[in-house]
Amino acid sequence: MERSRDATGLILMAQGVDSVGGNPDVKGNMQTSIASIAERQTIGRPAVGQTVSDPGLAVCIRGLSKHYVHPWTLRVTRGLDALDLDVRRGEVMGLLGPNGAGKSTTLKLLTGLLKPTHGQAWLMGEPVESTASRRSLGFLPEQPYFYDYLNGIEYLELAAQLSGLQAATARERARHWLGRVGLGERPRLGLRKYSKGMLQRLGLAAALVHDPELLILDEPMSGLDPFGRRDVRDLITEQRERGVTVLFSSHILPDVEMLCDRVAIMIGGRLTRVATVGELVDDGAQAVEIRCAPGALLVIPKHWAGRVSRTQRADESVFRLEDEARLGDVLGWLLQAGVQVRAVTPQRPTLETLFMAAAEAEHERRQA
């Protein structure tokens, strides 16, 4: 009995749970529950040495999941749920989603910072649990850690040598990238004196210093002013032109819209859509604005309520149609009423509009 009690205590301590005293049935149930959770967490782990056959893929993800178990209640939280995603070599893929969508969890699983509960993933054809998958990888985490007793050039030299470059090459690459990200004027400035934006630039330089084939960036625009964001966009564009694959997460929608070949929308740990920005926009209902000369205030028919609205301005009246399919009917109604139509302007939906609609739909689905 004493041996059983000790074994139970060790299992509970390993899970971060204090021993439950007094009732052996409680201990037994707790031990069984934790053992079953541990068993579930090993299901679907990729086999060491297994490779992906498609040479056109830089990132291949199959059924990737990450579940977190509360040490006291044993409640399971699904941080990522059965993700399937392919990123082609040479493309820029954006992971788009609100906080808690699973973007950072996905990137940490790909880079080996987290272990999956289920599923498999490969980088450049190599399973993510192997060191070979990280040889041609450049990674910028959301909150990178810096040795603040170093200066900028020393930090990049260290990053370059840790990536396998010889000392002379590392020194040359460090100088190049420090200047390329706009920090070259003061190469000996200690990192403890860097601003948040400067550190973000330095982290990006560290991810690029060894010329990786695959670049994974977690919120690369974080902490940057508009000029810094522009510089990062230029760097990502340059890397794409070099044939580098870029996978990055962001919630800054204009940057995603400008940079990405394709976008993966994630909400609540699930992948809801993968498409080009053009496909996403084309799938949305296109609104239309009709600008008219100021005149009599027409009463919009009741059967158009919620689908046609009017805004009165100083020098014109603007009618907005939420669906262009009604354009002919509304134009006929205006012309019949003697209204002078000045312009008809299609309103292309933005990625932000589509993303917010997808997020609201997912929220309603979860509440149902």
Side-chain angles (χ1 to χ4, degrees):
M1 180 65 70
E2 187 64 26
R3 181 178 300 174
S4 175
R5 183 181 297 114
D6 291 343
T8 303
L10 288 172
I11 293 173
L12 295 174
M13 289 172 63
Q15 294 291 328
V17 181
D18 290 338
S19 296
V20 181
N23 189 340
D25 291 335
V26 173
K27 293 177 184 176
N29 292 338
M30 184 74 78
Q31 183 176 359
T32 302
S33 299
I34 294 174
S36 65
I37 291 169
E39 181 180 357
R40 289 201 305 271
Q41 289 181 335
T42 62
I43 296 174
R45 290 282 178 85
V48 175
Q50 186 176 357
T51 59
V52 63
S53 59
D54 190 342
L57 296 180
V59 179
C60 179
I61 301 172
R62 293 293 179 268
L64 199 63
S65 300
K66 180 61 179 178
H67 302 165
Y68 300 93
V69 182
H70 192 282
W72 288 99
T73 65
L74 301 184
R75 180 179 178 180
V76 177
T77 300
R78 298 175 183 270
L80 187 67
D81 197 10
L83 175 64
D84 290 333
L85 182 65
D86 291 336
V87 182
R88 307 179 191 113
R89 289 180 186 253
E91 80 169 332
V92 177
M93 167 75 80
L95 295 182
L96 181 62
N99 292 335
K103 306 186 301 296
S104 292
T105 298
T106 299
L107 301 187
K108 288 178 180 178
L109 288 168
L110 291 177
T111 53
L113 295 178
L114 288 177
K115 298 296 183 183
T117 305
H118 309 291
Q120 300 171 294
W122 298 263
L123 300 182
M124 310 304 287
E126 299 291 342
V128 295
E129 74 276 9
S130 71
T131 56
S133 69
R134 294 185 284 278
R135 286 175 185 156
S136 56
L137 170 67
F139 176 50
L140 174 65
E142 182 179 11
Q143 295 178 326
Y145 179 82
F146 298 94
Y147 302 107
D148 62 4
Y149 54 85
L150 299 178
N151 58 45
I153 198 74
E154 290 171 340
Y155 181 81
L156 288 186
E157 284 185 30
L158 173 63
Q161 291 186 56
L162 288 174
S163 299
L165 300 184
Q166 297 297 319
T169 305
R171 191 173 304 111
E172 177 185 349
R173 300 296 298 165
R175 290 197 184 100
H176 167 77
W177 278 108
L178 198 67
R180 182 63 188 84
V181 297
L183 301 174
E185 292 184 0
R186 303 177 67 185
R188 302 297 174 182
L189 180 66
L191 299 191
R192 61 172 54 92
K193 296 181 180 180
Y194 273 37
S195 67
K196 182 178 180 180
M198 293 170 70
L199 289 173
Q200 190 73 2
R201 289 169 180 261
L202 185 69
L204 185 60
L208 289 163
V209 71
H210 58 297
D211 288 335
E213 296 179 53
L214 171 62
L215 196 58
I216 295 180
L217 310 173
D218 196 355
E219 299 286 355
M221 313 294 184
S222 176
L224 297 177
D225 59 22
F227 297 103
R229 285 173 51 200
R230 180 198 61 194
D231 292 343
V232 172
R233 288 196 301 266
D234 291 344
L235 279 172
I236 292 176
T237 301
E238 285 179 12
Q239 296 306 304
R240 174 169 53 190
E241 292 172 352
R242 290 183 53 244
V244 175
T245 306
V246 182
L247 173 63
F248 76 96
S249 68
S250 181
H251 60 271
I252 302 177
L253 299 175
D255 294 330
V256 173
E257 194 165 5
M258 282 189 284
L259 287 170
C260 294
D261 298 307
R262 292 191 299 153
V263 176
I265 297 179
M266 300 183 67
I267 299 174
R270 292 176 176 268
L271 181 68
T272 63
R273 182 78 188 276
V274 179
T276 66
V277 173
E279 289 170 345
L280 290 172
V281 170
D282 290 343
D283 287 350
Q286 183 164 276
V288 179
E289 278 192 355
I290 304 174
R291 295 169 50 210
C292 305
L297 297 179
L298 300 178
V299 177
I300 297 175
K302 291 183 179 179
H303 61 276
W304 288 344
R307 289 171 287 186
V308 179
S309 59
R310 179 186 58 220
T311 302
Q312 194 67 33
R313 298 174 183 167
D315 59 344
E316 64 182 2
S317 297
V318 179
F319 293 86
R320 179 180 173 86
L321 289 65
E322 298 304 327
D323 187 349
E324 63 179 343
R326 299 184 177 275
L327 178 59
D329 294 338
V330 175
L331 279 176
W333 170 66
L334 290 171
L335 294 174
Q336 187 176 7
V339 176
Q340 180 186 354
V341 176
R342 291 177 173 174
V344 177
T345 308
Q347 301 294 301
R348 181 176 179 265
T350 64
L351 184 58
E352 180 175 4
T353 302
L354 298 170
F355 170 69
M356 293 303 296
E360 290 171 2
E362 178 66 16
H363 178 72
E364 291 175 359
R365 185 191 70 81
R366 288 174 173 267
Q367 295 297 318

